[in-house]
Amino acid sequence: VIFRKSFAGMNLYTVLLFLHSCCRWLVLGGLIYAIYRGLRGGPVFTKTDDRARHITATLAHVQLCIGYILYFNSPLVTYFRAHFHEANFEALFFGLIHISLMTISVVLISVGSSLAKRQEADKAKFLTMTTFYFLALLIIFIAIPWPFSPLAHRPLLRTF
Ligand code: HEM
């Protein structure tokens, strides 16, 4: 059982943390590329633009799922939920601030993506996608625990 639960020092928590750390770069890359396509602004909303819109929204949802599973497997969050009256700021950040801001951003991406898809005019598609994705990118940038963030610090890539 010990072997199954912890193979070469890896357990569900560390695997999720690693995936969540990597996937952040995919989400950021997708958003920046989609916003770049949006700012170029066509004039025709091509298949490539639509792919950028769709793949970015998918990546954001994958990261959201990993995040929620991580949330219920993180010792830090478990500590926060048991002691939230006396928790330190780092526990509060991951237990409440990070999850709230990130959930809001992924909702913005979802709404922006489906509204853009349903617009008639290509110009409106670009404008909708760019606006929602830019807002989401801003919030995500603030809520990522960058090594230089004033809120919480984590590595640029999790290597343990
Ligand atoms: C676009 C969305 C998100 C991005 C870009 C993002 C990014 C990150 C990054 C870079 C870390 C640090 C990873 C590390 O320690 O190596 C992290 C940690 C974490 N994230 Fe997210 N995250 C997102 C959404 C979420 C959501 C929605 C949740 C919860 C529902 C969540 C829960 C957590 C937890 C629990 C931790 C780690 C706490 C610990 O150290 O145990 N994340 N996130």
Side-chain angles (χ1 to χ4, degrees):
V1 175
I2 289 169
F3 181 74
R4 230 185 58 210
K5 278 192 123 177
S6 166
F7 177 68
M10 289 197 308
N11 53 32
L12 182 62
Y13 172 59
T14 56
V15 171
L16 288 168
L17 205 54
F18 173 73
L19 293 176
H20 198 64
S21 178
C22 295
C23 191
R24 148 243 328 237
W25 293 109
L26 300 179
V27 174
L28 287 173
L31 281 171
I32 290 167
Y33 182 63
I35 292 167
Y36 158 75
R37 305 273 325 173
L39 290 176
R40 271 171 85 231
V44 179
F45 196 86
T46 61
K47 259 217 160 94
T48 312
D49 296 314
D50 201 55
R51 231 174 264 144
R53 171 196 66 75
H54 185 237
I55 292 174
T56 302
T58 307
L59 288 170
H61 284 106
V62 170
Q63 179 71 331
L64 187 79
C65 292
I66 302 172
Y68 272 89
I69 307 171
L70 182 58
Y71 189 84
F72 292 104
N73 283 279
S74 161
L76 184 61
V77 176
T78 307
Y79 167 82
F80 169 74
R81 286 190 295 161
H83 308 88
F84 61 87
H85 288 301
E86 71 245 40
N88 59 17
F89 187 77
E90 193 192 32
L92 177 73
F93 177 80
F94 285 106
L96 202 62
I97 300 172
H98 182 77
I99 162 172
S100 312
L101 291 179
M102 292 309 196
T103 304
I104 293 169
S105 334
V106 179
V107 169
L108 283 173
I109 294 172
S110 286
V111 172
S113 171
S114 50
L115 280 182
K117 187 175 165 183
R118 277 160 189 73
Q119 300 284 355
E120 285 287 334
D122 284 5
K123 217 176 149 189
K125 282 179 187 284
F126 280 120
L127 185 65
T128 310
M129 179 176 79
T130 313
T131 312
F132 279 87
Y133 282 20
F134 182 74
L135 270 176
L137 177 63
L138 213 66
I139 300 173
I140 287 174
F141 193 83
I142 292 168
I144 285 181
W146 299 108
F148 52 83
S149 168
L151 300 174
H153 308 128
R154 287 291 185 271
L156 290 177
L157 198 62
R158 175 62 64 173
T159 46
F160 297 99

